[in-house]
């Protein structure tokens, strides 16, 4: 289950990924230490998410398979949806500014929540632990 309070533990290739996304160095340095916390609450095919970081606090609701809008902390707007494939959440989002695809997955492995990202051939991971 994805349900619970998750806190960022470590990143893999996240700076490279952000660079590919076009985020400048100062913002990348800050974002690498954003103290991201996410609370996930799944009820059937609906998710309620609470996101807290050094940058902002927001709450998001989505339904699997239903397109919604999401803005990154730097204001980049995305539109897309999550689906469930086995134990894995798979997200496909398009940037509104250039139409390009950002894919992401979430999976719980042991006591960790692993979120992976891909944009234009660059992969990254952010790994969370329960708190
Ligand atoms: C959620 O499920 O938490 C809300 C929807 C998330 C959409 C995809 C998020 C991609 C975030 C990429 C971070 C990129 C920083 C450059």
């Amino acid at each position: 289950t994805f349900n619970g309070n998750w806190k960022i533990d470590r990143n893999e290739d996240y700076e490279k990924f952000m660079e590919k996304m076009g985020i400048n160095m100062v913002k990348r340095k800050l974002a690498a230490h954003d103290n991201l916390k996410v609370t996930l609450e799944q009820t059937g095919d609906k998710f309620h998410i609470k996101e807290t970081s050094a940058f902002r606090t927001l709450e998001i609701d989505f339904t699997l398979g239903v397109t919604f809008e999401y803005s990154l902390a730097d204001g980049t707007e995305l539109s897309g949806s999550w689906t469930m494939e086995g134990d894995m959440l798979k997200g496909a989002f398009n940037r509104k500014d250039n139409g390009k695809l950002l894919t992401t997955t979430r999976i719980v492995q042991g006591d960790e929540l692993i979120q992976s990202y891909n944009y234009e051939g660059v992969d990254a991971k952010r790994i969370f632990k329960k708190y």
Side-chain angles (χ1 to χ4, degrees):
T1 176
F2 293 97
N3 289 352
N5 299 311
W6 300 96
K7 185 181 188 305
I8 190 72
D9 182 63
R10 60 194 189 277
N11 300 320
E12 289 176 12
D13 298 320
Y14 191 48
E15 291 224 22
K16 219 169 75 182
F17 174 81
M18 288 190 284
E19 189 174 359
K20 194 72 181 174
M21 287 285 288
I23 294 166
N24 74 43
M25 192 186 68
V26 172
K27 287 183 183 169
R28 293 202 302 272
K29 295 292 172 203
L30 293 171
H33 302 281
D34 63 355
N35 277 314
L36 181 60
K37 290 178 185 162
V38 284
T39 298
L40 285 93
E41 202 182 307
Q42 181 183 8
T43 313
D45 61 356
K46 293 186 191 304
F47 278 81
H48 181 72
I49 297 200
K50 198 171 155 185
E51 175 186 319
T52 307
S53 71
F55 303 115
R56 59 183 183 167
T57 294
L58 77 164
E59 301 199 29
I60 305 139
D61 286 286
F62 64 83
T63 301
L64 294 176
V66 179
T67 299
F68 64 100
E69 322 284 307
Y70 178 79
S71 296
L72 303 181
D74 73 342
T76 302
E77 294 182 75
L78 305 177
S79 174
S81 65
W82 287 103
T83 54
M84 191 76 81
E85 232 178 87
D87 290 340
M88 188 180 276
L89 273 170
K90 287 193 166 192
F93 295 85
N94 286 99
R95 284 176 66 143
K96 290 193 177 182
D97 56 352
N98 65 10
K100 288 183 178 173
L101 182 65
L102 185 163
T103 57
T104 175
T105 63
R106 283 186 173 123
I107 190 154
V108 175
Q109 266 175 20
D111 62 350
E112 296 185 328
L113 172 73
I114 300 170
Q115 183 158 10
S116 65
Y117 306 91
N118 178 279
Y119 180 74
E120 294 286 296
V122 177
D123 289 303
K125 280 184 185 165
R126 304 201 79 186
I127 297 151
F128 299 79
K129 286 187 187 292
K130 277 203 170 148
Y131 71 94

